[in-house]
Amino acid sequence: GGEGEGEAASSEAHEALRRQAAAATRGRVKHFVNLSNGLQALEPLLCAHIRREEVCYCRLQSSHCEQRDYVGVLGSLDHHLLLHVALGYTCRVYDFGSRRKRWPGEGLELCVPSALWWGLEVARYSLAKLWRLPGAAAARCLLHGHDASSQVDGVLSGGVLLRGLAWRAPRHSVAACDQVDGVLSRLPPPLARRLKYYRALATTDAVRLEAVFARTALDGQRAAFAAMLWRSMLPGAEAGEAADEGRAEAGKAVAPPPPPESLGMRRFVPALFSEGARLRELDPESAET
């Protein structure tokens, strides 16, 4: 009886801590720039008093989205993004598009990048299912304004994916799903394990992925995007950061991180942990012979 009561109390404490962590992160925003077109968001972000150290990066590739490559898209989600989504942060992903599309409900030719309207939406829906979040059973996956939930369920459960058919419009839904065994229970095992790993760490009740877009005229111009990234590293790029002061400070030594020993830890240096180094530490004379 005592052992069972102890386990119940431990479980209750664990759940209480989870709820506290969920409340602590709710409303917090992490900024993710999608490479490469999203680099155009760096300058306005820095001018809006977002520090460069607060800007994160991700790479949802348009080629994966255009090929309806679910595995490629889900495999592109890096651990930094996955962990913050699992912890309940609103992860805002910035990208720029060049191809115009007409949108149901909008009727406008908007340049929404496929990495956002297809990739990010597939990721949001899939993670909610894989992590078994509240409301996942009733969640919808909206691709180009149409509910494609049943098609994505098929992708998540495995089988052959008919590219460009199942997702396009409701009139294709039944025919496509008849030919698709499904795409989450048969994901490649390493990818499924990687994504499901965060289920035990999740405190969130929903996947808060927010897509932010604008039009670009620089699609494919890698040199221009590289220059944007490099300029964001220069003194004066951040709002309130004076360029002259930054140049004066540039020559000064950067404050070092705290020594590992002050954190109760040690630094691993392979050369110092080699057999020869260990012998010299124990018996310098024997190491020389």
Side-chain angles (χ1 to χ4, degrees):
E3 183 177 343
E5 292 175 359
E7 291 179 355
S10 176
S11 177
E12 289 177 3
H14 187 78
E15 176 60 21
L17 181 59
R18 187 197 68 80
R19 289 195 298 266
Q20 291 172 1
T25 58
R26 189 168 293 118
R28 295 187 183 181
V29 177
K30 294 291 289 186
H31 304 275
F32 286 84
V33 167
N34 195 44
L35 301 172
S36 296
N37 286 14
L39 288 168
Q40 286 184 253
L42 278 175
E43 183 177 354
L45 281 172
L46 297 181
C47 290
H49 298 274
I50 303 298
R51 298 186 61 198
R52 61 173 65 85
E53 288 80 7
E54 298 173 10
V55 179
C56 308
Y57 299 88
C58 61
R59 190 167 185 235
L60 289 168
Q61 299 182 52
S62 59
S63 58
H64 287 159
C65 302
E66 291 160 2
Q67 295 168 9
R68 310 302 173 236
D69 183 353
Y70 290 82
V71 172
V73 166
L74 295 175
S76 297
L77 302 175
D78 78 340
H79 296 286
H80 195 65
L81 176 63
L82 288 169
L83 181 59
H84 281 89
V85 169
L87 289 176
Y89 283 79
T90 296
C91 293
R92 180 179 288 183
V93 181
Y94 300 84
D95 204 358
F96 288 71
S98 60
R99 299 180 183 177
R100 291 180 176 272
K101 279 183 175 290
R102 296 188 67 83
W103 292 85
E106 288 283 344
L108 301 174
E109 294 187 352
L110 300 177
C111 296
V112 185
S114 58
L116 299 185
W117 73 260
W118 200 89
L120 206 65
E121 179 66 3
V122 165
R124 182 195 60 76
Y125 181 81
S126 300
L127 292 177
K129 291 281 188 176
L130 288 168
W131 295 346
R132 302 173 184 168
L133 298 182
R140 295 191 304 160
C141 185
L142 299 176
L143 301 181
H144 199 197
H146 300 293
D147 188 347
S149 306
S150 59
Q151 291 85 355
V152 179
D153 281 338
V155 173
L156 296 179
S157 62
V160 178
L161 174 64
L162 302 180
R163 293 177 179 174
L165 175 61
W167 64 274
R168 288 197 179 192
R171 69 176 182 274
H172 294 306
S173 296
V174 175
C177 288
D178 285 345
Q179 301 172 61
V180 178
D181 291 334
V183 169
L184 264 185
S185 66
R186 293 187 194 172
L187 283 175
L191 175 58
R193 287 194 297 270
R194 187 168 80 87
L195 296 175
K196 290 178 181 179
Y197 170 82
Y198 295 91
R199 183 190 296 167
L201 302 177
T203 62
T204 189
D205 58 353
V207 175
R208 296 180 174 89
L209 285 169
E210 184 176 300
V212 179
F213 76 98
R215 184 182 180 186
T216 181
L218 301 175
D219 192 35
Q221 298 187 29
R222 294 188 178 183
F225 293 129
M228 293 175 189
L229 177 62
W230 298 338
R231 278 196 296 269
S232 73
M233 301 295 119
L234 299 179
E238 291 184 14
E241 182 184 53
D244 292 339
E245 293 178 6
R247 281 194 291 270
E249 295 290 329
K252 296 183 179 180
V254 177
E261 291 75 15
S262 70
L263 307 175
M265 305 178 74
R266 294 181 62 190
R267 188 165 68 98
F268 176 75
V269 181
L272 298 180
F273 280 72
S274 66
E275 184 177 359
R278 182 62 177 161
L279 286 174
R280 285 191 295 273
E281 179 183 331
L282 295 176
D283 186 354
E285 292 185 1
S286 66
E288 294 175 0
T289 59

